[in-house]
Amino acid sequence: MDVKSLEPYSIIGFDGSAIRGLKVHPDCDHIVYPMGNKVCIQDWKTKKMYFLSGHTNSVSTVAVSPKGTYIGSGQINHIGFKASAKVWDFKKKTLLGTHELHKVRVEALTFSSDERYMISLGGRDDGCVVLWDCIAGAATGTAAAARLTTGDAVTLTALTQRMNSFVTGGDSNLRVWNIRAASKNLDVVDVTLGKLRRSVRCIAISHDDSYGIAGTTSGDMIKFSLNYPPDPMEDVSHCKPSLLGCLAKCGPWKKGKRPESLCYSQGIETIMIMDDGCLIVGTGDGVIDILDEINWKGTFPKGKLVDPNKPHYKALKSVKLNGSITSLEIMETPQLRGDKRLLLAGTRTSEIYAINIQTFEPTLVVTCPRCAINHIAFPRGMSGVFATAGAGDVRVWCVKTAQELLRIVVPNFICSSVLFSADGKSIVSGWNDGNIRAFTPLTGRLMYCIFNTHNKGTSALDMTTDCRTLISGGCEGQVRVWDIKPECQSLKKVLKEHKSPVSAIQVSPNNMEAVSAGTDGSCIIWDLVSLSRRQVMYANTLFMCVCFEPLGCQLLTGGTDRRVAYWETGSGNLARELEASKVGAINGLHITQSGDFFVTGGNDQMVKLWKYQEGIYTHTGLGHAGAVTCCRFSPDAKNIVSCCAAGSIIIWNVPEQYIQKDSKPPSVRNSISKAPKGLQEELRLPLEEKPTQKAAGDRQPKIPARPSKEEKIGAMDTTRSSVHSCCPCDTARSITSNKSGNNGKNTSNTVKCCRPPDNLPTRTTSKEYVSGSGDRK
């Protein structure tokens, strides 16, 4: 069968931990940024996304060539393994070349001004600079990035005019490099810092290559001169760069005194030099400043000689954002010329802000969780919003706009499970500190908190539709049943059967049972009335997800054996097994309300749409940058929402032919006749059947109330009879006796009993027969 692709409706994701990871393409119509182990190219106007896939681990750095022809990306790898750096063609979205000459991590990437070379810098475990020839498609040179007497190099940038020059910086080192065109060897000259000790975090070079500014972790800036001649083709082997000074932002002016130097508290993460010479600085505490040099008149007030820096810049505009600033880029489209230009800022909290240069007011453009998302939940019968559970927060999203509506933050803890109560009045969440917290869905206010529910953290949750019973699973293997009331939340029963963490819990459609899946290879069905075990299923796997079929007759499970299993809930027998993945475990599983389709997601980073009865998958979704951790159908079955370990969320469109087929649950579809009535006819039906007009004093027609429990008992036939209780002759015999009594005649009873006579030989195992001498007479 031909397997088609799921069409993504919207993608929410951005990896803000990569330094200078957000890039604006020179055409100013696209932005490039990492998303897990993929590089995302997004059209700024249409928001359409393209993915560059090929990395085996998280992307650590991204670079765009000056003319936009190439895109470079480097990744992180495990200790002891090589990390690859790749070159991509922007227009064709294809891989041009790759090398694995760095160990563990590629720290930074840049392209030469003529797009001939890609320069990559290794991390702490590597410490080398590798030169990649984009035309020849091969690495041509390598050298140590820093001396043995200094620290590691962490950043690099290329010069604008000189095609074969670039600058690297790091802990107590700042070096200028030149590429020999003939031999393609690397020549390096250190910038003499003297007694100044700084750790360089970022570097920016002026447009004429006359000077450079290096931001440091101390919160000040090193200004140095390259001392290069104006002619770009002239030999620079005799030129040596020099230090101009260590500069900082100027504090408040005091008459007759030297102004104080204000250093940024958490260092400078990124820096830019504008055309007019102003600096744009992004800091570790979330502050973005536009700095301008101070033109001092007269004698400069002398300060102490021990001061390492001097105040030289004043802040023209300033804004503070949430999270450390890791990327700054200017977007200047034909519609955004002059003062309407946008400054794009990426933060470590995985958010992208668009700042108007003129007003300097930030607008949140992209936001997403920065860590893995553990769970997704939809409100009952509402498909417009959904909630996600992740590290430190619970977020509510709008499906249509893919924007964040509400963020509930609980710092330093991880939310493992989230659900909406059936009445929609609360969001219940389980956390790794062992507490269960309930919040209001509109404001995020804490309603109640159940403390110490599980001593090793709460891992799974579910609630009955009457919102009175809550079932929780913990990492210690216990399943606990809670009685939820507005005034108190009490523990009803502790069920100890699992030997390992409980990975998933779901309540049956009739609210009489609940199933829990554990990583010990057992899946247990619990009776919520007697609070005891009803059935148990074993398999040679670690169960990661479980789901009831809408009628409650079967179960679907997924685990580390890469299979989806059908189980009979009554007997606990295995009905069918499907191979759902070639590699990796199945982490997410959900079925539609009609039971016709279900969706799976696993470590293979794929989302698959299956037909329940046929057991085949017809559509696959590719786009996640990490292992899929959870996937859910919307209640109207028009969308699929999936999340992954990289923190991205993808909203998929369900195919049109499946939406029409899955528009109503089976119970509703079976009750509809071949010629369904319209909505107006259904609403008009009770009015047409109203009784005839009565007198004015008569009471209005009223729907009869449901009989009470006493009325039901009174209506029961409690007369005794010699006939067996299950024999239908009892009714016939009572009818004939009534007729004979009314007529006054003693007629013989002609109704024959269908019960066999008592003298037939029978087989019994009662205690009386065993203890007696034979048949009773």
Side-chain angles (χ1 to χ4, degrees):
M1 183 178 178
D2 186 18
V3 179
K4 300 179 181 179
S5 297
L6 284 174
E7 179 185 354
Y9 171 75
S10 180
I11 301 176
I12 307 169
F14 168 64
D15 188 2
S17 61
I19 301 297
R20 300 179 65 185
L22 175 63
K23 297 291 183 181
V24 174
H25 195 267
D27 63 3
C28 290
D29 290 333
H30 297 82
I31 58 174
V32 182
Y33 55 87
M35 187 187 293
N37 60 3
K38 293 180 175 61
V39 178
C40 178
I41 302 173
Q42 181 181 6
D43 192 311
W44 181 256
K45 297 179 181 178
T46 63
K47 305 302 180 184
K48 188 175 181 180
M49 296 183 179
Y50 306 92
F51 295 99
L52 305 179
S53 303
H55 289 284
T56 58
N57 212 323
S58 299
V59 177
S60 59
T61 181
V62 171
V64 178
S65 61
K67 299 178 182 179
T69 307
Y70 305 110
I71 294 177
S73 60
Q75 73 172 53
I76 308 171
N77 214 339
H78 302 286
I79 296 177
F81 293 88
K82 298 286 186 177
S84 63
K86 301 182 184 295
V87 184
W88 311 83
D89 188 293
F90 173 76
K91 292 183 178 180
K92 298 180 180 179
K93 312 293 188 300
T94 57
L95 180 65
L96 297 179
T98 180
H99 72 81
E100 295 185 351
L101 300 177
H102 294 293
K103 298 178 182 178
V104 184
R105 181 186 178 98
V106 180
E107 192 70 37
L109 283 174
T110 190
F111 286 89
S112 59
S113 59
D114 61 348
E115 297 187 340
R116 174 68 185 275
Y117 301 106
M118 183 185 74
I119 306 105
S120 59
L121 175 65
R124 177 175 298 180
D125 299 288
D126 182 72
C128 291
V129 173
V130 175
L131 194 66
W132 175 271
D133 194 333
C134 296
I135 298 177
T140 59
T142 181
R147 294 185 177 182
L148 297 177
T149 57
T150 61
D152 303 314
V154 297
T155 184
L156 83 162
T157 187
L159 273 64
T160 306
Q161 304 295 331
R162 300 265 172 186
M163 297 179 293
N164 297 332
S165 299
F166 61 94
V167 182
T168 63
D171 187 7
S172 301
N173 66 81
L174 189 61
R175 316 183 85 184
V176 181
W177 301 72
N178 288 286
I179 305 172
R180 295 182 190 174
S183 61
K184 297 182 181 178
N185 291 330
L186 296 173
D187 297 332
V188 60
V189 180
D190 289 294
V191 179
T192 305
L193 300 179
K195 295 183 179 180
L196 188 66
R197 293 292 177 267
R198 289 291 186 273
S199 179
V200 176
R201 190 66 176 166
C202 54
I203 301 173
I205 305 297
S206 62
H207 296 283
D208 57 356
D209 293 343
S210 59
Y211 68 94
I213 302 290
T216 66
T217 57
S218 303
D220 50 13
M221 291 155 281
I222 297 175
K223 187 175 183 179
F224 60 96
S225 175
L226 296 173
N227 295 326
Y228 279 174
D231 186 8
M233 305 305 296
E234 189 175 345
D235 185 25
V236 294
S237 59
H238 61 283
C239 300
K240 293 185 179 181
S242 60
L243 177 68
L244 297 180
C246 186
L247 312 176
K249 185 172 70 170
C250 182
W253 173 261
K254 296 180 181 179
K255 187 176 181 180
K257 294 183 180 180
R258 178 190 176 99
E260 296 180 355
S261 297
L262 298 181
C263 296
Y264 296 101
S265 60
Q266 297 185 25
I268 298 174
E269 294 289 338
T270 180
I271 193 169
M272 294 178 60
I273 300 179
M274 305 292 290
D275 295 335
D276 55 0
C278 293
L279 303 181
I280 301 181
V281 175
T283 65
D285 55 356
V287 175
I288 300 177
D289 284 346
I290 296 182
L291 303 178
D292 190 13
E293 293 186 6
I294 299 176
N295 297 322
W296 297 102
K297 296 180 180 179
T299 58
F300 191 89
K302 294 184 179 181
K304 297 181 181 180
L305 296 178
V306 296
D307 290 342
N309 52 38
K310 59 181 180 180
H312 196 71
Y313 294 99
K314 61 179 178 181
L316 301 180
K317 297 178 181 178
S318 180
V319 68
K320 183 176 176 60
L321 305 179
N322 294 326
S324 174
I325 308 298
T326 57
S327 304
L328 286 176
E329 289 287 322
I330 292 290
M331 173 169 282
E332 187 174 1
T333 61
Q335 297 82 12
L336 301 174
R337 294 292 185 184
D339 294 335
K340 294 183 179 180
R341 294 177 298 174
L342 293 179
L343 174 66
L344 299 184
T347 66
R348 200 176 293 274
T349 56
S350 298
E351 295 176 340
I352 299 177
Y353 291 87
I355 303 173
N356 192 326
I357 294 294
Q358 184 178 6
T359 61
F360 225 63
E361 294 181 356
T363 302
L364 183 61
V365 178
V366 175
T367 179
C368 72
R370 57 174 302 187
C371 299
I373 302 174
N374 300 319
H375 202 246
I376 296 174
F378 274 92
R380 184 179 179 86
M382 185 176 181
S383 304
V385 297
F386 64 93
T388 59
D393 55 32
V394 173
R395 305 191 186 194
V396 180
W397 305 83
C398 177
V399 174
K400 184 177 181 181
T401 62
Q403 297 293 324
E404 180 182 312
L405 301 178
L406 176 66
R407 185 184 304 183
I408 305 170
V409 180
V410 180
N412 304 324
F413 295 112
I414 299 174
C415 183
S416 58
S417 182
V418 66
L419 62 92
F420 285 89
S421 60
D423 55 5
K425 296 182 179 180
S426 63
I427 300 175
V428 186
S429 57
W431 300 77
N432 67 338
D433 61 347
N435 297 344
I436 296 175
R437 296 176 174 90
F439 307 94
T440 56
L442 295 180
T443 62
R445 180 180 58 84
L446 181 65
M447 297 177 61
Y448 61 84
C449 180
I450 308 176
F451 294 97
N452 304 321
T453 56
H454 297 273
N455 55 10
K456 291 185 179 181
T458 305
S459 57
L461 285 177
D462 203 2
M463 182 182 285
T464 57
T465 55
D466 60 357
C467 305
R468 290 294 305 273
T469 304
L470 177 68
I471 302 96
S472 66
C475 293
E476 78 283 354
Q478 293 183 4
V479 175
R480 299 191 176 190
V481 183
W482 304 86
D483 187 15
I484 304 299
K485 296 180 181 179
E487 62 275 3
C488 67
Q489 301 81 37
S490 57
L491 178 64
K492 296 173 66 175
K493 188 68 177 294
V494 179
L495 306 173
K496 301 179 182 179
E497 292 285 346
H498 291 287
K499 306 300 181 183
S500 294
V502 178
S503 55
I505 289 178
Q506 189 181 18
V507 177
S508 64
N510 59 2
N511 291 327
M512 302 297 291
E513 300 169 350
V515 61
S516 62
T519 55
D520 56 353
S522 65
C523 195
I524 303 176
I525 300 176
W526 307 95
D527 192 338
L528 297 182
V529 179
S530 62
L531 297 180
S532 61
R533 188 184 75 183
R534 186 175 180 272
Q535 194 61 257
V536 60
M537 290 84 74
Y538 293 104
N540 190 17
T541 181
L542 277 67
F543 287 113
M544 303 302 296
C545 49
V546 65
C547 187
F548 266 107
E549 189 261 342
L551 298 179
C553 300
Q554 286 186 338
L555 279 173
L556 289 179
T557 60
T560 55
D561 60 350
R562 302 175 284 110
R563 297 178 182 274
V564 172
Y566 294 59
W567 302 86
E568 299 291 342
T569 56
S571 60
N573 296 330
L574 179 63
R576 178 195 281 179
E577 267 190 332
L578 305 175
E579 187 177 359
S581 174
K582 299 286 185 183
V583 290
I586 302 299
N587 302 320
L589 178 67
H590 195 234
I591 192 169
T592 59
Q593 294 182 1
S594 68
D596 293 332
F597 310 100
F598 67 93
V599 63
T600 60
N603 291 351
D604 57 356
Q605 305 176 10
M606 296 174 62
V607 177
K608 296 182 180 181
L609 181 61
W610 298 73
K611 290 185 177 180
Y612 184 84
Q613 296 293 341
E614 291 83 351
I616 56 175
Y617 66 93
T618 59
H619 292 75
T620 59
L622 298 175
H624 279 292
V628 179
T629 56
C630 187
C631 50
R632 286 287 184 273
F633 277 102
S634 60
D636 58 3
K638 293 183 179 180
N639 296 104
I640 299 172
V641 180
S642 59
C643 59
C644 70
S648 62
I649 305 170
I650 301 181
I651 304 173
W652 309 89
N653 286 327
V654 175
E656 288 292 334
Q657 63 270 23
Y658 294 169
I659 295 176
Q660 297 174 1
K661 186 177 180 180
D662 200 57
S663 59
K664 292 183 180 295
S667 59
V668 178
R669 290 204 309 266
N670 295 335
S671 62
I672 297 178
S673 61
K674 295 182 180 180
K677 299 179 181 179
L679 181 60
Q680 295 181 356
E681 295 179 1
E682 293 180 359
L683 295 177
R684 195 181 297 116
L685 183 60
L687 300 179
E688 293 177 353
E689 297 178 354
K690 63 182 180 181
T692 58
Q693 186 73 20
K694 293 186 178 183
D698 293 346
R699 299 179 61 184
Q700 296 295 327
K702 183 179 179 183
I703 300 175
R706 186 176 60 180
S708 62
K709 187 174 181 181
E710 290 78 5
E711 293 174 351
K712 289 182 179 180
I713 296 175
M716 292 181 181
D717 186 12
T718 57
T719 59
R720 295 190 178 185
S721 174
S722 60
V723 185
H724 197 262
S725 59
C726 63
C727 182
C729 305
D730 187 11
T731 307
R733 190 171 291 177
S734 61
I735 293 173
T736 54
S737 61
N738 292 335
K739 290 182 179 180
S740 61
N742 295 333
N743 297 331
K745 298 178 182 180
N746 294 328
T747 59
S748 62
N749 191 3
T750 60
V751 178
K752 296 182 180 181
C753 182
C754 60
R755 184 185 179 188
D758 294 338
N759 56 2
L760 292 178
T762 58
R763 185 178 181 182
T764 180
T765 55
S766 63
K767 293 182 179 180
E768 297 178 359
Y769 178 81
V770 174
S771 59
S773 59
D775 293 339
R776 299 177 61 186
K777 297 182 181 179

